[in-house]
Amino acid sequence: MGARSEAAGYGDARERPDCAAARRRRLSVDRRRDELMAAALELFGARDPDDISIDDVAAAAGASRALVYHYFGGKRELHVAALRRAAAGLERRPPPMDGGCPLDALAGALARYFDFAEEHAAGFAALLRGGGAGRGGEVGRIVEGVRGELFASLTRRLPVREPGALLRVTLGAWIATVESAALDWLEHRDVERRALERLLVDQMVATLTAAARHDPEASHVLHNLKNDR
Amino acid sequence: MGARSEAAGYGDARERPDCAAARRRRLSVDRRRDELMAAALELFGARDPDDISIDDVAAAAGASRALVYHYFGGKRELHVAALRRAAAGLERRPPPMDGGCPLDALAGALARYFDFAEEHAAGFAALLRGGGAGRGGEVGRIVEGVRGELFASLTRRLPVREPGALLRVTLGAWIATVESAALDWLEHRDVERRALERLLVDQMVATLTAAARHDPEASHVLHNLKNDR
């Protein structure tokens, strides 16, 4: 008890030298891993993963080949780790949903999605294109996870608890629309980003309007969306 | 000259025994490869490729493990070959475009797309999910090839030569919508297929209508599409 409170007190005032050293080491390991993953995302996103070697990644991060193997074990493992980091960033991105009308909230969510796509352009494209990471279905699962997260944040927003078949297809298709538009934008950059975001919000309304002709639930959601406007 | 015409004459009437044997061998090799690829597609589409071994594929096709290695070299090579075959089938699928109004043609193209998805359910899902085949960017390139093909058949149909940025994004997004809906349908099968196809045609019109508010070219295409109706 005495030792515990002493240690706690010690930690509060100034860190114990051995703890501080361990913390520095850990921080430096984390930073090094981050640098390697960032370099890997940049390379894997920009070029065919087949054409990229561990040496390329090491050179881009100013590290040794041995260090990359030490931290990740191999190229595939590094790629999957980097994609997972990109995905975690995207999953954290969905905005708070309190207040505001649903269409504004949707526009806000889209803006954050595109912020992320822009900040992590190479990783974002690598993640969604899924290209080449292989390692069995891992990349597929990462992408499905990101989609599931977006889908859940969308249904919370509308709000719908358990969408029926046609509404589920419609919302899933809109997410595919957003992904496709974001990849196109990263590749071409010939549309103003805000204009694209506005188009995508309009397309959500349009696609719900089309679905509403086939499905009472979609009609109900659309009604809420518009009345809230 | 004499030998040549004699050989040609011989071939016309009845096949030379050695040619017939070679042809049988070739046919049987092709059929065996096909069987192995079909078994692989079935397995890779239904389960995580990480969990599937060459032995599983060999057992499903009633072949030996050695034969699979002989024909394909390895699991990844087999998977890529099988996906490429599925993609080739899909690329051949776009319908002839002569006559008929554009929206009927679009509905016809969608029906063929879903025919393909239904006939090759496992391979289709494996192709679009891209999951796990790895082998660098090969699967990515196969999927991009299929999308490019659909995109070209769509722009021929509308018709647009070189779509501008917003129309390109809109058409690409609609293709993503179709892919997403087809994957959802294969997974859940809780929507009537024809109803889903009608919804997707309506969504093409809806999405063009939304784009038309932002883009004169989309407005022009929409006008043609509706007037032709």
Side-chain angles (χ1 to χ4, degrees):
Chain A
M1 180 66 190
R4 201 175 149 202
S5 58
E6 186 194 25
Y10 198 89
D12 285 344
R14 59 193 167 88
E15 206 165 19
R16 266 145 73 134
D18 51 346
C19 290
R23 197 172 55 86
R24 270 199 307 278
R25 262 198 312 278
R26 201 173 53 242
L27 276 181
S28 127
V29 165
D30 286 351
R31 197 177 308 126
R32 212 76 192 102
R33 272 183 63 94
D34 270 2
E35 283 167 8
L36 289 171
M37 284 195 284
L41 276 181
E42 195 66 43
L43 289 172
F44 286 129
R47 273 158 48 200
D48 187 331
D50 260 357
D51 300 337
I52 291 162
S53 67
I54 283 283
D55 287 324
D56 293 330
V57 176
S64 70
R65 174 192 175 80
L67 192 77
V68 182
Y69 277 109
H70 173 68
Y71 282 150
F72 297 98
K75 193 171 90 168
R76 288 188 184 286
E77 288 77 7
L78 168 61
H79 195 185
V80 169
L83 290 179
R84 190 172 289 127
R85 195 183 71 144
L90 188 54
E91 283 171 19
R92 276 196 303 275
R93 198 60 66 127
M97 240 317 283
D98 313 301
C101 93
L103 282 175
D104 287 344
L106 199 63
L110 265 181
R112 278 160 218 247
Y113 188 88
F114 273 87
D115 281 346
F116 177 84
E118 191 163 14
E119 280 164 36
H120 303 276
F124 180 86
L127 179 65
L128 286 192
R129 295 230 155 85
R135 181 77 181 160
E138 280 212 59
V139 174
R141 275 193 295 274
I142 295 173
V143 172
E144 290 302 317
V146 171
R147 273 184 203 147
E149 195 62 41
L150 276 178
F151 192 85
S153 87
L154 193 57
T155 50
R156 267 201 309 280
R157 211 151 273 155
L158 287 176
V160 203
R161 286 229 172 179
E162 292 258 321
L166 271 187
L167 186 57
R168 182 193 68 231
V169 170
T170 301
L171 300 181
W174 185 75
I175 288 173
T177 288
V178 171
E179 289 175 358
S180 154
L183 283 175
D184 181 288
W185 180 72
L186 286 179
E187 190 181 336
H188 295 99
R189 304 256 185 169
D190 54 359
V191 186
E192 209 252 309
R193 208 190 104 175
R194 297 293 164 202
L196 192 54
E197 290 172 21
R198 280 193 298 273
L199 174 67
L200 288 168
V201 172
D202 283 359
Q203 285 188 337
M204 167 54 113
V205 175
T207 207
L208 272 177
T209 306
R213 284 206 294 280
H214 302 261
D215 180 47
E217 190 188 18
S219 166
H220 177 73
V221 166
L222 179 68
H223 182 79
N224 286 347
L225 212 58
K226 284 184 158 173
N227 275 8
D228 246 319
R229 210 176 199 174
Chain B
M1 180 67 191
R4 200 176 149 200
S5 57
E6 185 195 24
Y10 198 89
D12 285 344
R14 59 191 165 89
E15 207 164 19
R16 269 145 72 133
D18 49 348
C19 290
R23 197 170 56 86
R24 268 198 308 279
R25 262 198 312 279
R26 202 172 52 243
L27 275 182
S28 127
V29 165
D30 286 350
R31 198 177 308 127
R32 212 75 193 101
R33 272 183 62 95
D34 269 3
E35 284 167 6
L36 289 170
M37 285 195 282
L41 275 182
E42 196 65 44
L43 288 173
F44 285 130
R47 273 157 49 199
D48 187 331
D50 258 358
D51 301 337
I52 292 161
S53 67
I54 283 283
D55 287 324
D56 293 330
V57 175
S64 70
R65 174 191 175 80
L67 192 76
V68 183
Y69 277 109
H70 173 68
Y71 281 151
F72 297 98
K75 193 171 90 169
R76 289 189 182 286
E77 288 76 6
L78 168 60
H79 195 185
V80 169
L83 289 180
R84 190 171 291 127
R85 196 183 70 145
L90 188 55
E91 283 171 17
R92 277 196 302 274
R93 197 62 64 129
M97 242 316 285
D98 313 302
C101 93
L103 282 175
D104 286 345
L106 199 63
L110 265 181
R112 279 160 217 247
Y113 188 88
F114 273 86
D115 280 348
F116 178 84
E118 190 163 15
E119 280 164 35
H120 303 277
F124 179 86
L127 180 65
L128 285 192
R129 294 229 156 85
R135 183 72 183 164
E138 280 213 59
V139 174
R141 275 194 293 274
I142 295 173
V143 172
E144 290 302 317
V146 170
R147 272 183 204 147
E149 197 61 42
L150 276 178
F151 192 86
S153 88
L154 193 58
T155 50
R156 266 201 309 279
R157 210 151 273 155
L158 287 175
V160 204
R161 291 237 164 166
E162 293 257 322
L166 271 187
L167 186 57
R168 182 193 67 231
V169 170
T170 302
L171 300 181
W174 185 74
I175 288 173
T177 288
V178 171
E179 289 176 358
S180 154
L183 283 175
D184 180 287
W185 181 72
L186 286 178
E187 189 181 337
H188 296 99
R189 303 254 187 174
D190 54 0
V191 186
E192 210 251 312
R193 207 190 104 175
R194 296 294 164 201
L196 192 55
E197 289 172 22
R198 280 193 298 272
L199 173 67
L200 288 168
V201 172
D202 282 359
Q203 286 189 336
M204 167 55 113
V205 176
T207 207
L208 272 178
T209 305
R213 284 206 294 279
H214 303 262
D215 181 46
E217 190 188 18
S219 166
H220 178 72
V221 167
L222 180 68
H223 181 80
N224 285 348
L225 211 58
K226 285 185 158 173
N227 276 9
D228 246 319
R229 211 176 199 174

